[in-house]
Amino acid sequence: MAVALDNPSNFMTTRLRQAVNWGRKYSLWPLPFGTACCAIEFMSTVSSYNDISRFGAEAVRFSPRQSDLLLVAGTISYKQVPILKTIYAQMCEPKWVISMGACASTGGFYNNYSTLQGIDKIIPVDYYVAGCPPTPENLLSALVSLQDRVQNEGLVPSAERHQQVIR
Amino acid sequence: MSQKLVDSLKSEFGDKIVSVNNSCGDESVLVPGDSLPAVLKYLKESESCEQLTDVIGVDYPERTERFEVNYLLRSIANKSRINVKVAVEEGMDIPTVSDIYKSANWAEREVFDLYGVKFRNHPDLRRILCHHEFEGHALRKDYPIEQGQFLSTPEKLIDDIEYHGGAFRADEVEGEDNPFDLLNVNIGPSHPATHGALRIEVQLDGETIVKAKSEIGYLHRCFEKEAEDHTWSQVMPYTDRLNYVSSMLNNCIYASSVEKLLGVEVPQRAQIIRVIVSELSRIIDHLVCICANLVDIGALTNYWYFYNIREGIYYDIIEPLCGSRLTTNFARIGGLSHDLFDGFEDAVEKHLQKMEVAIKEVTGLIARNRIFLDRTVDVGVLTTDEALSYGYTGPCLRATGLDYDVRKHAPYSGYEDYKFDVPIGENGDTRDRIMVRMEEMYQSASIIRQGIQKLTPGPIALDNASVSLPPKESVYGSIEGVMNQFKLISEGIKVPAGEAYGYGEGANGELGFFCVSDGTGQPHRLKVRPPCFPIFSAFDEIIEGLMIADAIAILGSINIIAGELDR
């Protein structure tokens, strides 16, 4: 990026990709797919003490059509699988996924007949957040890391992001 | 428990009572399946057992009559309880009691889902926790715990609702393009107002709900199957995640249930600390419930007021106390994991004062607020009798005007030594449920202050090598300590064979653990009696005839926590 300060019309040059991604990364609209304990910690992250709006992600939307960050917070049971897959498919590109907590990432300590052993079995995941449940600080850290990733992505979603939903 | 009920049953039914048993002070009678409705009807009508607390299945693969179904009954008026048992062979069925107690409807569905015991003449015998394509019955001992089954198509509840059935406008206009068609709307399972994964299918006429049907089980995490796969102590972290908003309460009540089966009593200091942290948990639970409910009605400011108090308690008290915010894992069978930190009393007092200010502020914003009153007064009314029949306990039952509180009714952990009032409502509507919780927070604060006054130095865990882990100095310094630690960790606490129902006042109502031990280190059966489950089973009936926006306000006020509902 270059800024011409001596020019009276004050212009700057940058790459289109960088300018667009700069806009994208500070206006992530999360869809909290909250099912369990992690959803309560997500509420804490949104509330005024931790205040997720400092990172430009406070516009929480419960419609997949309006959001670009799927935040899977909580245990996903086999009964939830078709729903989660549908919601992911309904989101418009570009879209990102954060898997919040041990249950969403690996099934956690629920290794049993009803719990999906990690959402990456059914949808692609960008960031995994450790913790059971992760603290709000942990989630914010994942958000900041995701912003870095968004900044460095291409203008159009890369081919790997279009990978088929696994099952 | 009451010997009187057993005597009364004996004189009424004579030799129909197969056997009488007493385990840890809990009386149980075994009756044949066919006389079950008569026994329960008699207990309800003649012995004023108003409530069927829970229906619990237990699997004994080695017996001919493999399944045992326990009906836990309670008389609030006479302060007594009894457990009526029925033994069922595989493939046989028993008559339903859902026409006697409304709470039996969902409870029997659960037994059917997890054990495959069929209930004759049940109005709606479908799976409730597992999905509808699930094959086999998960809690049978021969079902492998790790055998998951993918669900390909979600259940269609629309088919359940008779299309246009009972609609008052559908018949008026003939023809296919009827302008007054009822509209089916699906709420959930991913919906901002459901507070967890629930699904409600409603049939609307304009904005009025004509018929509703709800579905649960989206957060079924198999607590009970996991418990059978772990030792008694290893179950403790799983209890955190039942009602994850007030995990300390779950910890303490679970520990005291197992202690009941063990026949031990924890030291004085541990009991007082348990009461203090339980009441802190209750405050947090009520704060979250009220603020989320008010957000649903549109009052966002209160959310910030209450949530900050909760954050303060978590950061300054709970996290220093047990190292984590939500999932505390604080209590231990026979005591506590560790003692209070220095400065605990001051931190608690500081936050209680903040909380009282916040309650005043929020009450000031809503108590005479026209919008709030219009949305909540006389909305979602449930009478005391209906609430009892549905198995309501806790704030939702007290909102109807009945002062049933386990802490007063059957004191545990020394609650009889504390002075506090049990707030009750008048109408059982949404406003009463919110206001009862508001007042309960003041009472909890008073209990915490009394508890802090009572605190004296002392041990926080039982001095019993077969129950409590040895102190770390002993583990690292002596062979006996190492052996003791090793045996307790690898084999688990050897709980004597028997069964006990331990219960306490959770944040939403009576939280109970029905523990069955076969003498090994692992539970044979551990059934949770979650307060939410019976409360939510009445939801369909409450909202029918109301506006759809009221349904959201009611759902918030009955405080459904999915982790506890689906387990």
Side-chain angles (χ1 to χ4, degrees):
Chain A
M1 195 188 291
V3 182
L5 290 172
D6 51 345
N7 190 307
S9 62
N10 275 358
F11 67 92
M12 69 180 198
T13 59
T14 180
R15 291 180 182 183
L16 178 61
R17 177 178 72 85
Q18 297 228 321
V20 170
N21 281 341
W22 177 81
R24 278 176 180 166
K25 80 171 184 182
Y26 288 124
S27 61
L28 289 168
W29 287 29
L31 186 160
F33 192 82
T35 57
C37 337
C38 289
I40 304 287
E41 284 300 61
F42 177 74
M43 282 166 77
S44 295
T45 318
V46 176
S47 74
S48 44
Y49 193 92
N50 291 295
D51 198 7
I52 200 172
S53 61
R54 294 179 290 158
F55 305 93
E58 83 277 22
V60 175
R61 287 293 178 275
F62 286 87
S63 161
R65 302 290 191 204
Q66 298 175 343
S67 46
D68 51 8
L69 170 61
L70 180 62
L71 233 165
V72 183
T75 317
I76 302 299
S77 64
Y78 287 114
K79 205 170 176 174
Q80 290 266 28
V81 166
I83 300 146
L84 182 59
K85 267 163 49 175
T86 313
I87 285 183
Y88 179 76
Q90 282 176 342
M91 289 171 68
C92 301
E93 294 281 359
K95 55 187 172 186
W96 299 273
V97 179
I98 287 182
S99 164
M100 180 181 179
C103 287
S105 306
T106 65
F109 72 170
Y110 293 102
N111 184 7
N112 56 37
Y113 61 85
S114 170
T115 311
L116 183 69
Q117 301 298 302
I119 58 166
D120 48 9
K121 287 194 174 8
I122 53 165
I123 56 173
V125 178
D126 291 280
Y127 270 96
Y128 299 89
V129 190
C132 186
T135 56
E137 295 84 352
N138 236 342
L139 180 60
L140 290 176
S141 143
L143 187 71
V144 174
S145 309
L146 183 69
Q147 286 178 340
D148 287 348
R149 182 167 183 162
V150 171
Q151 177 69 65
N152 295 324
E153 274 184 358
L155 197 56
V156 286
S158 61
E160 72 187 80
R161 299 207 61 80
H162 277 288
Q163 66 174 283
Q164 285 293 308
V165 172
I166 295 166
R167 220 186 126 111
Chain B
M1 277 298 166
S2 166
Q3 186 61 39
K4 190 175 145 275
L5 284 179
V6 178
D7 298 339
S8 160
L9 276 178
K10 270 186 185 159
S11 61
E12 178 71 20
F13 291 93
D15 53 358
K16 273 190 186 160
I17 307 289
V18 182
S19 68
V20 179
N21 192 14
N22 184 328
S23 172
C24 304
D26 291 0
E27 307 278 354
S28 61
V29 291
L30 183 68
V31 300
D34 289 332
S35 47
L36 177 75
V39 171
L40 262 57
K41 214 173 186 123
Y42 171 78
L43 283 171
K44 186 181 184 187
E45 283 162 9
S46 308
E47 293 294 339
S48 73
C49 288
E50 308 97 337
Q51 207 166 47
L52 175 67
T53 311
D54 207 353
V55 181
I56 296 162
V58 187
D59 183 10
Y60 296 100
E62 68 286 356
R63 296 186 188 171
T64 343
E65 290 180 318
R66 177 174 172 180
F67 303 108
E68 192 181 81
V69 186
N70 296 267
Y71 294 77
L72 300 185
L73 295 159
R74 158 170 302 116
S75 162
I76 291 175
N78 299 337
K79 293 197 177 184
S80 53
R81 296 194 296 121
I82 190 163
N83 176 4
V84 179
K85 290 177 182 235
V86 177
V88 199
E89 226 172 296
E90 190 169 355
M92 303 297 283
D93 55 0
I94 48 177
T96 178
V97 293
S98 53
D99 48 341
I100 306 173
Y101 294 102
K102 286 181 175 175
S103 59
N105 188 332
W106 276 29
E108 286 177 349
R109 274 177 70 188
E110 191 189 317
V111 177
F112 164 70
D113 181 4
L114 300 176
Y115 286 98
V117 175
K118 289 201 175 65
F119 292 89
R120 212 157 47 229
N121 301 329
H122 189 284
D124 183 24
L125 198 62
R126 288 181 298 128
R127 286 185 182 274
I128 189 163
L129 294 177
C130 297
H131 58 75
H132 65 118
E133 288 173 2
F134 196 88
E135 283 173 15
H137 298 282
L139 273 187
R140 290 188 177 189
K141 290 283 178 192
D142 47 17
Y143 190 89
I145 180 168
E146 289 172 17
Q147 188 179 317
Q149 300 181 20
F150 268 95
L151 166 69
S152 57
T153 42
E155 193 167 8
K156 278 195 179 127
L157 292 181
I158 295 182
D159 295 344
D160 283 348
I161 299 180
E162 300 160 37
Y163 216 63
H164 299 171
F168 41 88
R169 275 183 173 173
D171 303 329
E172 291 176 10
V173 181
E174 287 180 5
E176 278 186 5
D177 43 3
N178 181 347
F180 298 118
D181 261 2
L182 299 180
L183 179 67
N184 277 311
V185 174
N186 181 57
I187 307 173
S190 174
H191 187 273
T194 54
H195 302 275
L198 314 165
R199 180 174 169 213
I200 308 145
E201 181 115 25
V202 289
Q203 201 168 36
L204 297 178
D205 175 34
E207 280 193 53
T208 310
I209 297 169
V210 178
K211 204 164 166 69
K213 197 115 188 170
S214 44
E215 192 194 358
I216 65 168
Y218 287 97
L219 192 57
H220 181 47
R221 300 192 276 197
C222 331
F223 171 85
E224 288 155 17
K225 190 81 172 174
E226 290 283 3
E228 290 172 19
D229 203 46
H230 289 77
T231 64
W232 289 96
S233 327
Q234 283 172 336
V235 176
M236 190 62 77
Y238 285 94
T239 63
D240 287 336
R241 290 150 182 87
L242 288 173
N243 182 346
Y244 34 72
V245 187
S246 53
S247 31
M248 294 272 200
L249 268 164
N250 307 338
N251 293 164
C252 296
I253 296 173
Y254 169 68
S256 62
S257 305
V258 182
E259 282 151 15
K260 180 176 175 184
L261 197 51
L262 279 165
V264 296
E265 195 156 302
V266 294
Q268 184 72 9
R269 183 174 170 86
Q271 284 199 1
I272 296 171
I273 296 176
R274 276 187 188 179
V275 168
I276 295 173
V277 295
S278 294
E279 295 305 318
L280 273 174
S281 271
R282 195 183 314 280
I283 288 176
I284 292 171
D285 195 283
H286 287 353
L287 284 174
V288 174
C289 166
I290 295 173
C291 74
N293 193 0
L294 290 174
V295 170
D296 293 344
I297 304 179
L300 187 63
T301 320
N302 307 293
Y303 178 76
W304 310 126
Y305 282 1
F306 270 0
Y307 226 84
N308 278 352
I309 305 301
R310 171 189 176 276
E311 289 297 306
I313 297 179
Y314 270 152
Y315 276 115
D316 291 350
I317 303 173
I318 309 281
E319 203 171 0
L321 187 59
C322 49
S324 104
R325 285 157 49 88
L326 240 75
T327 43
T328 51
N329 192 12
F330 183 58
R332 291 285 179 274
I333 297 165
L336 300 166
S337 66
H338 33 260
D339 209 336
L340 302 177
F341 58 90
D342 289 339
F344 175 84
E345 293 83 353
D346 299 338
V348 169
E349 184 55 38
K350 183 180 129 199
H351 285 285
L352 288 184
Q353 283 173 8
K354 278 191 183 173
M355 179 204 82
E356 283 164 351
V357 173
I359 297 178
K360 278 207 187 76
E361 281 175 339
V362 170
T363 317
L365 280 170
I366 61 170
R368 288 157 189 261
N369 185 321
R370 190 75 253 159
I371 303 171
F372 173 76
L373 295 178
D374 284 349
R375 291 290 306 273
T376 56
V377 173
D378 288 333
V379 172
V381 178
L382 204 65
T383 61
T384 308
D385 287 343
E386 274 194 328
L388 282 172
S389 175
Y390 268 116
Y392 270 48
T393 46
C396 294
L397 177 62
R398 292 193 283 274
T400 68
L402 187 75
D403 64 340
Y404 173 65
D405 187 321
V406 181
R407 293 173 293 173
K408 287 271 187 202
H409 197 84
Y412 56 98
S413 293
Y415 267 111
E416 60 273 24
D417 302 332
Y418 297 83
K419 279 195 191 122
F420 62 99
D421 296 328
V422 179
I424 56 168
E426 286 172 4
N427 307 319
D429 54 13
T430 306
R431 177 180 171 275
D432 282 357
R433 288 191 278 267
I434 294 177
M435 288 308 177
V436 163
R437 287 200 172 87
M438 288 276 198
E439 184 55 36
E440 271 185 22
M441 288 195 278
Y442 282 122
Q443 300 300 330
S444 294
S446 148
I447 296 175
I448 293 170
R449 290 193 174 112
Q450 293 172 43
I452 287 178
Q453 291 293 319
K454 283 176 201 284
L455 272 179
T456 46
I460 52 147
L462 210 59
D463 185 20
N464 182 339
S466 61
V467 176
S468 302
L469 288 177
K472 279 284 172 278
E473 306 85 69
S474 156
V475 178
Y476 293 122
S478 70
I479 186 68
E480 292 78 18
V482 176
M483 290 300 292
N484 191 356
Q485 168 101 5
F486 180 76
K487 290 287 262 186
L488 276 180
I489 294 289
S490 59
E491 289 175 9
I493 299 170
K494 293 277 192 305
V495 177
E499 61 185 43
Y501 176 69
Y503 61 109
E505 182 74 18
N508 288 340
E510 177 185 325
L511 175 69
F513 289 90
F514 185 79
C515 317
V516 182
S517 174
D518 51 5
T520 61
Q522 296 184 345
H524 180 78
R525 172 84 167 108
L526 182 64
K527 169 75 170 73
V528 192
R529 190 269 177 200
C532 284
F533 189 79
I535 290 177
F536 192 57
S537 70
F539 185 67
D540 295 349
E541 195 182 310
I542 299 177
I543 63 170
E544 276 173 18
L546 298 176
M547 310 276 271
I548 189 155
D550 294 336
I552 303 300
I554 295 165
L555 185 62
S557 73
I558 56 178
N559 193 17
I560 301 302
I561 305 286
E564 182 179 74
L565 179 72
D566 299 338
R567 282 152 286 147

